[in-house]
């Protein structure tokens, strides 16, 4: 108990003192996950739109596929990409393994189904009249699409927050694809796993506190956004 | 006699295996008001939506302003530009009344947009509602804002799906007065309704959709008034 209290006290000292290694780990987490979300969002929303409003063979199968991919463990995604990106793999020539790019790729794969599935639900919940009204009032397909995004913005923002929450806290794919290199690919979850395995709890607790704070903030935002969406519907 | 704005030939449509429109022919002018009646599920809404470029028919040829005959797919751009469809329950975008009105004139300069919005609100006598969230409006108020929005978009032809359904008497009277003004301003109207007697003073032509075809009921020759519906007839 005393050890835990001591480790927690030390953790907050690390945070407050601006420990360079600790804050670099935090920065890497936000950089990698931020990039992954930025890259994954546009194609995911476009896919969600096509699934919600398009009529093409295999549409239902794709919807089921994305719903299934929601529950794929991060470590399985990590393993699959590891095999593809390793020297012996088909994408080995890209030399991406143990880089931030590989971590971003893994997090894109994890975020994409969440963005598509939740984005699809958000877009589908908008009445068909929204699209038709926009078009009949002279809006181009692009402007009508933008109008739909605006109409479903609370649902889409919820998708974004949920996807970000998932990837910034995942450890399996980042560990396998990034290699947990200090100052380069070590992010919050991989650092916690490593420090805990070494018995160095202080840094683990400090980083855990950051993740908890982030989870709390994201959840708060999510509830706020969903509440506003409900109030307006 | 003004030339027809929109001509349709051989318009055919079905929902699943249920035939709705059966090689239907139609001419609509960019003036006056055509009343469209028919049984529930006869295909009135579908016909309007096809004419507005919102729903693809199985077959049919379209001609706008006596141009070349085209398939629906090729005529669609022109239909969307010149023909407007108003839903039975108009959709209000998430935003203020002014925001909804500005949607129809997004290509105009900002200052002009503000002036036009003021004019449109004046036109429907809803000036105090400028900043009201559009989704908090009543059914009748929504209908009037939808008409103001359509007025701003200035289509050549306006297709209205049951514009007075579910409205109280006062709202219905206001809506009909606005439709009359649109007609008098030279916008062609086609109104689908279950209650033809509401539109006796407005429409100069009455078509009834029966078994996928349009049957004329009443002519302008009858003193400019449409003939009353003979109840019980298909």
């Amino acid at each position: 108990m005393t050890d835990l209290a001591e480790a927690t006290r030390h953790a907050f000292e690390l945070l407050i003192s601006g420990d360079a290694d600790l804050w670099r780990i935090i920065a890497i987490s936000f950089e990698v996950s931020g990039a992954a979300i930025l890259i994954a969002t546009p194609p995911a929303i476009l896919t969600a739109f096509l699934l919600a409003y398009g009529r093409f063979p295999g549409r239902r199968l794709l919807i089921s596929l994305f719903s299934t991919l929601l529950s794929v463990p991060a470590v399985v995604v990590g393993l699959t990409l590891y095999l593809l990106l390793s020297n012996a793999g088909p994408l080995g020539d890209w030399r991406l393994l143990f880089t931030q790019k590989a971590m971003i790729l893994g997090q894109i794969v994890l975020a994409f189904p969440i963005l598509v599935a939740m984005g699809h639900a958000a877009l589908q919940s908008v009445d068909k009249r929204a699209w038709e009204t926009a078009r009949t009032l002279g809006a181009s397909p692009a402007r009508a699409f933008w109008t739909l995004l605006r109409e479903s913005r609370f649902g889409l923002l919820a998708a974004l927050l949920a996807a970000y929450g998932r990837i910034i806290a995942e450890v399996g794919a980042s560990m396998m694809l990034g290699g947990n290199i200090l100052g380069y690919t070590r992010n919050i979850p991989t650092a916690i796993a490593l420090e805990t395995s070494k018995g160095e709890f202080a840094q683990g607790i400090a980083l855990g506190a950051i993740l908890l704070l982030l989870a709390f903030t994201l959840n708060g935002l999510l509830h706020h956004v969903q509440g506003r969406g409900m109030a307006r519907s | 006699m003004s030339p027809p704005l929109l001509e349709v030939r051989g318009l055919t449509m079905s929902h699943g295996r249920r035939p709705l429109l059966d090689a239907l022919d139609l001419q609509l002018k960019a003036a006056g008001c055509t009343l469209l009646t028919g049984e529930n599920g006869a295909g009135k809404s579908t016909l309007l939506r096809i004419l507005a470029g919102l729903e693809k028919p199985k077959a049919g040829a379209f001609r706008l302003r006596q141009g070349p005959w085209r398939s629906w797919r090729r005529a669609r751009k022109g239909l969307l530009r010149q023909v407007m469809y108003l839903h039975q329950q108009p959709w209000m975008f998430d935003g203020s009344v002014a925001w909804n009105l500005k949607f129809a004139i997004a290509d105009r300069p900002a200052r002009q947009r503000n002036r036009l919005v003021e004019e449109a609100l004046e036109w429907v006598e809803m000036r105090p509602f400028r900043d009201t969230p559009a989704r908090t409006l009543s059914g009748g108020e929504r209908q009037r804002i939808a008409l103001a929005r359509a007025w701003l978009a200035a289509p050549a032809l306006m297709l209205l799906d049951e514009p007075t359904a579910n409205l109280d008497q006062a709202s219905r009277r206001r809506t009909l007065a606005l439709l009359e003004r649109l007609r008098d301003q030279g916008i062609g109207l086609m109104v689908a309704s279950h209650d033809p007697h509401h539109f006796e003073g407005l429409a100069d032509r009455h078509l009834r959709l029966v078994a996928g075809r349009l049957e004329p009921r009443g002519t302008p020759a009858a003193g400019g008034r449409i003939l009353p519906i003979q109840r019980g007839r298909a």
Side-chain angles (χ1 to χ4, degrees):
Chain A
M1 193 66 193
T2 318
D3 287 350
L4 182 64
E6 177 62 23
T8 306
R9 191 186 58 77
H10 188 202
F12 282 97
E13 273 174 14
L14 281 173
L15 279 174
I16 293 162
S17 67
D19 181 81
D21 283 348
L22 184 82
W23 283 101
R24 179 77 192 118
I25 288 167
I26 294 167
I28 288 169
S29 263
F30 282 90
E31 279 166 24
V32 167
S33 298
I37 279 289
L38 278 178
I39 297 168
T41 300
I45 298 302
L46 197 62
T47 309
F49 171 74
L50 291 175
L51 291 176
Y53 284 85
R55 292 291 172 266
F56 53 88
R59 190 180 68 97
R60 282 179 192 283
L61 189 70
L62 273 176
I63 293 170
S64 302
L65 179 72
F66 280 113
S67 299
T68 309
L69 287 175
L70 284 176
S71 50
V72 170
V75 71
V76 173
V77 170
L79 175 65
T80 310
L81 286 174
Y82 182 92
L83 293 173
L84 289 172
L85 296 174
S86 64
N87 282 341
L91 306 178
D93 291 344
W94 292 4
R95 304 269 172 219
L96 285 182
L97 204 58
F98 306 139
T99 65
Q100 285 191 4
K101 284 180 183 163
M103 291 168 77
I104 291 171
L105 190 63
Q107 295 196 356
I108 288 173
V109 173
L110 284 169
F112 200 80
I114 301 173
L115 289 165
V116 171
M118 287 183 71
H120 170 250
L123 283 164
Q124 208 170 36
S125 70
V126 178
D127 197 294
K128 198 172 72 170
R129 286 174 297 163
W131 172 266
E132 292 181 348
T133 302
R135 291 292 277 141
T136 204
L137 284 168
S140 64
R143 187 167 167 237
F145 172 64
W146 186 249
T147 306
L148 273 191
L149 295 191
R150 188 183 174 280
E151 292 288 295
S152 55
R153 61 192 182 279
F154 297 109
L156 293 178
L157 194 55
L160 212 74
L161 292 173
Y164 192 72
R166 158 117 158 125
I167 61 174
I168 202 159
E170 72 80 24
V171 63
S174 291
M175 186 76 95
M176 296 186 82
L177 299 169
N180 209 6
I181 304 163
L182 182 62
Y184 183 47
T185 59
R186 185 169 300 170
N187 63 7
I188 298 175
T190 59
I192 292 175
L194 180 73
E195 297 303 323
T196 306
S197 70
K198 290 195 303 191
E200 299 282 342
F201 296 111
Q203 201 177 57
I205 290 170
L207 291 167
I210 294 286
L211 268 191
L212 268 177
L213 185 67
L214 180 73
F216 182 73
T217 309
L218 285 179
N219 270 310
L221 274 173
L222 200 61
H223 280 287
H224 178 67
V225 160
Q226 283 173 339
R228 284 194 67 182
M230 298 265 275
R232 281 169 179 264
S233 59
Chain B
M1 278 284 283
S2 57
L5 171 83
L6 172 62
E7 293 168 89
V8 184
R9 220 164 46 188
L11 182 57
T12 304
M13 181 65 175
S14 57
H15 278 171
R17 289 186 177 178
R18 189 165 70 93
L20 274 183
L21 308 175
D22 178 19
L24 171 155
D25 296 338
L26 174 65
Q27 279 194 355
L28 288 170
K29 290 181 194 159
C33 176
T34 302
L35 174 64
L36 175 68
T37 57
E39 299 279 316
N40 267 340
K44 300 187 295 295
S45 299
T46 304
L47 173 60
L48 297 191
R49 294 162 54 77
I50 290 170
L51 298 179
L54 294 175
E55 195 167 335
K56 186 173 179 279
K58 293 262 187 252
F62 296 75
R63 186 157 85 143
L64 272 161
R65 297 190 187 276
Q66 299 194 297
W69 284 97
R70 295 179 193 277
S71 66
W72 180 87
R73 191 184 284 273
R74 297 198 61 200
R76 189 181 186 206
K77 206 171 171 183
L79 293 173
L80 283 166
R81 198 178 300 138
Q82 302 196 40
V83 184
M84 178 172 295
Y85 175 75
L86 270 82
H87 295 91
Q88 181 176 344
Q89 289 170 323
W91 179 261
M92 293 289 121
F93 296 114
D94 186 10
S96 68
V97 164
W99 196 92
N100 270 269
L101 293 174
K102 282 179 187 172
F103 192 93
I105 44 172
D107 52 343
R108 310 283 184 90
R111 184 177 282 186
Q112 201 180 358
R113 278 205 302 269
N114 287 332
R115 183 177 56 76
L116 286 168
V117 164
E118 294 303 324
E119 280 179 27
L121 287 169
E122 190 68 46
W123 188 69
V124 293
E125 296 169 17
M126 287 183 67
R127 194 182 267 271
F129 291 83
R130 191 186 190 285
D131 299 316
T132 306
R135 289 187 178 163
T136 61
L137 299 177
S138 70
E141 289 163 350
R142 282 180 183 218
Q143 189 63 262
R144 281 151 70 198
I145 292 300
L147 285 173
R149 195 167 57 180
W151 178 71
L152 285 172
L157 187 62
M158 214 180 275
L159 311 177
L160 300 109
D161 201 349
E162 303 279 359
T164 56
N166 308 319
L167 295 186
D168 61 34
Q169 207 177 349
S171 295
R172 190 164 56 232
R173 223 177 20 243
R174 280 202 186 100
T175 300
L176 287 169
L178 290 174
L179 290 179
E180 211 168 296
R181 287 168 68 181
L182 285 171
R183 182 201 61 186
D184 294 345
Q185 285 175 20
I187 295 176
L189 303 178
M190 187 177 197
V191 180
S193 178
H194 277 110
D195 294 313
H197 53 279
H198 289 152
F199 299 93
E200 281 177 3
L202 183 75
D204 48 29
R205 183 183 179 209
H206 179 185
L207 299 171
R208 187 166 171 82
L209 189 56
V210 182
R213 297 285 186 109
L214 289 170
E215 290 179 358
R217 297 281 171 102
T219 62
R225 285 171 60 81
I226 55 170
L227 299 174
I229 293 293
Q230 293 178 20
R231 303 214 179 267
R233 274 185 68 177

